């Protein structure tokens, strides 16, 4: 199966976590696009969704799925999103689509994070994928120096301004062996809006698309 077919498979599989009549959290990316399409085609009636990006909002609205503001809900039963990398404990690197800040906000509202990913995303140690970090523009150079002091290389993602007006640094050369400590540390650097390590908001379930079908890692 192609990577695209694996994404379709897990997008479809995520429907089992959607409660009819509920408001769900919806992430961002090509795998989530498959989920949104599957949801619209399924006939499952939900009240609506809280979206993590303008991209997903537009896709859902075009398919007739009502979109709510995060401030309109107190909690969500489930948040469904992809990942750039996921380890066996459910820690993830996210932000390849530059939506990491809103993704973390919506994930934080949810009782359960269901990650949908093809098997290429499963890793032993996070860090092969360049780590996205959303920053306040005036802090970008100083934050890049802090990563250099850790032996990593941060580069500004050219031409990208996030939905929140931030810039994205992509950081290469990291091996994130303790995701919780790393996330907590980088979060405290002045000017960091969001670090793309999702450890505190890790996935509770991962639906992994493989050649043998969907594997559920929990
Ligand atoms: C966007 C993300 C996505 O979940 C991540 O980049 C995976 O995307 P895709 O499903 O297209 O591989 O974090 O900010």
């Amino acid at each position: 199966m192609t990577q695209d077919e694996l994404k379709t498979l897990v997008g479809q599989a995520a429907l089992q976590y959607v409660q009819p009549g509920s408001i769900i959290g919806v992430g961002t990316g090509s795998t989530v696009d498959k989920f949104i399409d599957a949801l619209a085609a399924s006939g499952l009636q939900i009240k609506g969704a809280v979206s993590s990006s303008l991209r997903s909002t537009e896709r859902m609205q075009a398919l007739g799925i009502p979109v709510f503001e995060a401030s309109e809900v107190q909690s969500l039963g489930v948040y469904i999103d992809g990942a750039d990398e996921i380890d066996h404990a459910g820690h993830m690197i996210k932000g390849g689509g530059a939506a990491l800040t809103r993704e973390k906000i919506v994930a934080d509202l949810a009782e359960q994070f269901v990650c949908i990913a093809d098997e290429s995303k499963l890793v032993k140690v996070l860090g092969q994928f360049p780590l996205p970090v959303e920053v306040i523009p005036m802090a970008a150079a100083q934050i890049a120096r802090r990563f250099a002091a850790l032996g990593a290389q941060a580069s500004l993602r050219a031409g990208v301004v996030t939905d929140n007006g931030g810039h994205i640094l992509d950081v290469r050369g990291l091996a994130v062996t303790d995701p919780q400590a790393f996330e907590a540390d980088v979060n405290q650097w002045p000017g960091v809006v969001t670090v793309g390590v999702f450890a505190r908001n890790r996935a509770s379930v991962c639906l992994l698309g493989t050649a043998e079908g969907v594997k559920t890692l929990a």
Side-chain angles (χ1 to χ4, degrees):
M1 264 189 273
T2 64
Q3 191 182 32
D4 195 62
E5 287 166 337
L6 294 177
K7 289 179 180 189
T8 303
L9 205 63
V10 292
Q12 183 76 35
L15 293 177
Q16 66 191 291
Y17 291 88
V18 177
Q19 289 295 324
S22 66
I23 301 179
I24 63 170
V26 172
T28 301
S30 56
T31 316
V32 167
D33 286 348
K34 303 288 192 184
F35 166 70
I36 294 171
D37 294 350
L39 180 61
S42 70
L44 256 172
Q45 294 299 323
I46 62 166
K47 196 167 168 193
V50 175
S51 170
S52 69
S53 64
L54 301 180
R55 165 182 169 160
S56 291
T57 296
E58 283 170 4
R59 195 174 191 94
M60 287 193 281
Q61 287 177 335
L63 290 166
I65 300 169
V67 175
F68 291 84
E69 295 294 329
S71 55
E72 292 180 278
V73 302
Q74 291 197 355
S75 68
L76 299 165
V78 68
Y79 175 65
I80 295 168
D81 198 358
D84 298 303
E85 282 185 353
I86 182 163
D87 71 13
H88 290 267
H91 304 125
M92 295 166 285
I93 284 184
K94 293 182 47 53
L100 64 165
T101 296
R102 294 188 182 198
E103 290 173 343
K104 215 175 255 194
I105 292 168
V106 185
D108 202 49
L109 283 166
E111 285 157 27
Q112 189 179 35
F113 188 136
V114 176
C115 177
I116 49 177
D118 67 85
E119 60 189 341
S120 70
K121 309 288 183 67
L122 186 65
V123 297
K124 284 207 172 85
V125 176
L126 302 177
Q128 278 296 312
F129 188 91
L131 173 69
V133 182
E134 181 168 351
V135 300
I136 300 291
M138 72 175 283
Q142 169 66 358
I143 293 166
R145 282 190 287 271
R146 281 182 173 269
F147 279 116
L150 298 180
Q153 307 81 46
S155 55
L156 198 62
R157 199 180 295 180
V160 173
V161 177
T162 69
D163 291 349
N164 319 301
H167 287 177
I168 299 285
L169 290 174
D170 290 305
V171 187
R172 293 173 173 75
L174 290 169
V176 185
T177 51
D178 186 344
Q180 302 220 15
F182 182 89
E183 181 184 35
D185 185 26
V186 176
N187 268 338
Q188 294 188 46
W189 297 356
V192 168
V193 178
T194 302
V195 55
V197 168
F198 283 51
R200 210 179 72 79
N201 297 107
R202 66 185 172 278
S204 26
V205 177
C206 176
L207 301 177
L208 199 69
T210 77
E212 295 83 42
V214 178
K215 289 186 182 162
T216 304
L217 313 180

